[in-house]
Amino acid sequence: MRMPLRDRIALAVALPAPLVVALALVPFRTHMTSANLALILVVIIVAVAALGSRTAGVLAALSAAAWFDFFLTRPYQRFTISQGDDITTTLLLLAVGVAVSQLAAHARTLKLVTVTDAAHLARIHETASMVQGGASPYAVVDQVRQQLVEILGLRGCRFEHGTLLGRHPRLEQDGMLTVARAHWDLDKDGWPGEEIELRASVGGRYLGRFMMRPEPGTLPPPLQARLVAVSLADHVGAALDTAGPVLDR
């Protein structure tokens, strides 16, 4: 699955951003305490982690610790530290940076998966109960297909089992849409004028996909509705995985 644009940006700036900030702090290193200099770098780590992923935050933390050592502790411009307090500050900078990266990534995940609409919750619960109760995968697929039409305001939807040919626009796990492997701004450009793929997977294995036909001229549903659609497709993946091969109808 292609990495979202914001994650790619965060990874791209994770290493150089602390370097740039550390260089900007060089004129002030004799006038500020090491703790205050480190706190400024922590702000950069938090910003990177909040923008992107846990990995980007950890990379930013490692970069910040390294450049804090190199530029802001004595002896300057050497990867050595002569004072015990600076060693402690560097280690704390790294530890705090990694910790806030974990928290920022967790907060972002919670924001993506939070569902407050009672109707959406009912759909997810009903489908999950069918899967856990051993319902026929045909029944689960049919139900989710109807739910997708309602949730996303589609004019049609079909399911292809195990067929992943072609490069169709794809509704991703984070509720965003990609077209030709590039991010598509749904709020600005609306639905693309072709079928949209929503994959049913489990454990990273694709077992089929819903091919969705949006209603021309309609506004795309909000992110929450798209995330519910993704969750329903994942339940279909679980049903197919449990039941084994299922033929298209």
Side-chain angles (χ1 to χ4, degrees):
M1 185 177 298
R2 188 168 179 82
M3 186 182 297
L5 177 61
R6 60 182 289 176
D7 287 351
R8 299 201 301 274
I9 294 174
L11 284 174
V13 303
L15 294 177
L19 169 60
V20 172
V21 174
L23 285 171
L25 292 173
V26 166
F28 308 99
R29 64 191 177 187
T30 59
H31 307 292
M32 298 177 63
T33 64
S34 295
N36 287 336
L37 294 170
L39 285 175
I40 294 174
L41 290 172
V42 168
V43 173
I44 303 304
I45 298 169
V46 173
V48 171
L51 171 66
S53 62
R54 182 183 294 105
T55 301
V58 171
L59 288 175
L62 292 171
S63 177
W67 297 123
F68 174 77
D69 174 10
F70 191 79
F71 288 112
L72 304 178
T73 64
R74 298 179 186 274
Y76 298 129
Q77 297 182 10
R78 291 178 60 187
F79 285 111
T80 57
I81 303 176
S82 60
Q83 299 182 16
D85 288 346
D86 287 341
I87 294 175
T88 302
T89 302
T90 302
L91 294 176
L92 287 175
L93 170 61
L94 179 59
V96 171
V98 172
V100 298
S101 297
Q102 298 279 0
L103 292 173
H106 183 60
R108 179 183 173 190
T109 301
L110 288 177
K111 181 179 179 181
L112 286 176
V113 302
T114 299
V115 179
T116 57
D117 186 274
H120 289 339
L121 287 171
R123 289 186 177 98
I124 293 174
H125 176 72
E126 182 181 0
T127 304
S129 297
M130 288 182 66
V131 175
Q132 294 170 3
S136 163
Y138 286 120
V140 178
V141 167
D142 285 342
Q143 172 159 305
V144 170
R145 182 164 50 197
Q146 295 170 12
Q147 291 175 331
L148 291 177
V149 171
E150 297 172 0
I151 294 170
L152 302 179
L154 307 174
R155 63 172 176 172
C157 180
R158 59 188 175 86
F159 185 78
E160 295 180 349
H161 176 77
T163 303
L164 297 176
L165 301 177
R167 291 186 178 179
H168 299 275
R170 182 188 307 164
L171 187 62
E172 304 285 7
Q173 286 290 312
D174 60 359
M176 300 295 106
L177 191 71
T178 56
V179 178
R181 298 186 178 181
H183 173 71
W184 179 275
D185 191 337
L186 280 170
D187 295 329
K188 177 182 177 181
D189 301 321
W191 289 118
E194 54 185 306
E195 284 189 318
I196 297 169
E197 173 186 277
L198 173 58
R199 293 184 173 184
S201 62
V202 61
R205 295 185 297 110
Y206 300 119
L207 301 173
R209 63 183 177 182
F210 290 94
M211 300 302 297
M212 306 179 297
R213 299 191 304 277
E215 191 71 42
T218 59
L219 294 175
L223 176 61
Q224 186 184 82
R226 303 197 301 268
L227 291 171
V228 171
V230 170
S231 177
L232 292 172
D234 286 342
H235 285 309
V236 169
L240 293 173
D241 183 59
T242 300
V246 180
L247 297 177
D248 286 343
R249 302 200 284 174

